[in-house]
Amino acid sequence: MAQVKAVLLDLGNVLVFHDNALLFSRLGARAGLEAGEVARRLSGAGWTDANRGVLGAEGIRQDVCRGLGVDLPMAEFAALWSSHFTLHDAVLPRVEGLLGRVRVGLVSNTNALHVAYLRPLLPVLKRFDSVVMSCEVGHVKPEPAIFRLALEGVGCAPEEAVFFDDLPEFVQAAEAQGLQGRLFTTADAFDAQLKALGL
Ligand SMILES: [Mg+2]
């Protein structure tokens, strides 16, 4: 196995938790809909367009509001839309500890409003060697192009990079591009996985 020169990390459910059930119930409470109905109405192409950056902040607001049959002002919508995040405090010190020892990069499927909300909450991202947000690059996981961009960002060959994600589909997609894939589960398991990699 090649020596690890870079650690690439997913964002959602790795560095931050996102409680989608809570998001759907809060949006539903505002729109007079059951959470399950909100989930159903928001399961269309809008998510992908938002993640791809086709929809910016205002496009997301309009798309979601149209789907839910409401018209919320941006300030209220943006606060609701990001109300389901909590920092994964147990994992952040371990990530900080990697900086300077290996190159560290982020590879996230996310949208303009969530990036605007989360960047200030995660100042550690400024110290990453590479931050690839899908909505800023126009490619989403599991597409090969987003992994290529991430590898360019950290300047190493695929086999020199290990990629952590909580979704098996994306771990497999990274492995298909030659990266070492690891399924992220808990902070403790992450610590053990890094130690097994000599980190
Ligand atoms: Mg995730």
Side-chain angles (χ1 to χ4, degrees), residues 74-134:
M74 180 56 94
E76 181 184 6
F77 175 75
L80 257 180
W81 183 243
S82 292
S83 68
H84 61 319
F85 287 115
T86 49
L87 295 181
H88 192 169
D89 292 320
V91 88
L92 292 172
R94 192 63 167 98
V95 172
E96 295 239 2
L98 293 173
L99 298 168
R101 298 169 56 213
V102 285
R103 286 164 234 164
V104 181
L106 189 85
V107 191
S108 175
N109 279 4
T110 187
N111 61 77
L113 281 168
H114 287 165
V115 171
Y117 178 79
L118 289 172
R119 270 194 198 274
L121 296 181
L122 289 167
V124 71
L125 292 181
K126 283 192 241 156
R127 297 161 58 206
F128 277 31
D129 298 277
S130 169
V131 173
V132 176
M133 303 288 196
S134 63

Side-chain angles (χ1 to χ4, degrees), residues 9-16 18 107-109 141 164-167 170 184:
L9 301 168
D10 175 31
L11 175 59
N13 286 339
V14 175
L15 301 185
V16 300
H18 56 98
V107 191
S108 175
N109 279 4
K141 295 177 285 187
F164 287 87
D165 200 296
D166 64 303
L167 296 181
F170 295 159
F184 182 94

Side-chain angles (χ1 to χ4, degrees), residues 114-185:
H114 287 165
V115 171
Y117 178 79
L118 289 172
R119 270 194 198 274
L121 296 181
L122 289 167
V124 71
L125 292 181
K126 283 192 241 156
R127 297 161 58 206
F128 277 31
D129 298 277
S130 169
V131 173
V132 176
M133 303 288 196
S134 63
C135 59
E136 295 176 349
V137 300
H139 297 290
V140 297
K141 295 177 285 187
E143 296 169 355
I146 197 166
F147 295 109
R148 283 201 296 272
L149 286 170
L151 290 170
E152 282 170 21
V154 292
C156 73
E159 65 274 15
E160 296 169 332
V162 58
F163 170 70
F164 287 87
D165 200 296
D166 64 303
L167 296 181
E169 177 196 2
F170 295 159
V171 173
Q172 287 157 17
E175 288 173 340
Q177 298 308 309
L179 289 81
Q180 302 180 49
R182 295 289 184 279
L183 187 67
F184 182 94
T185 54

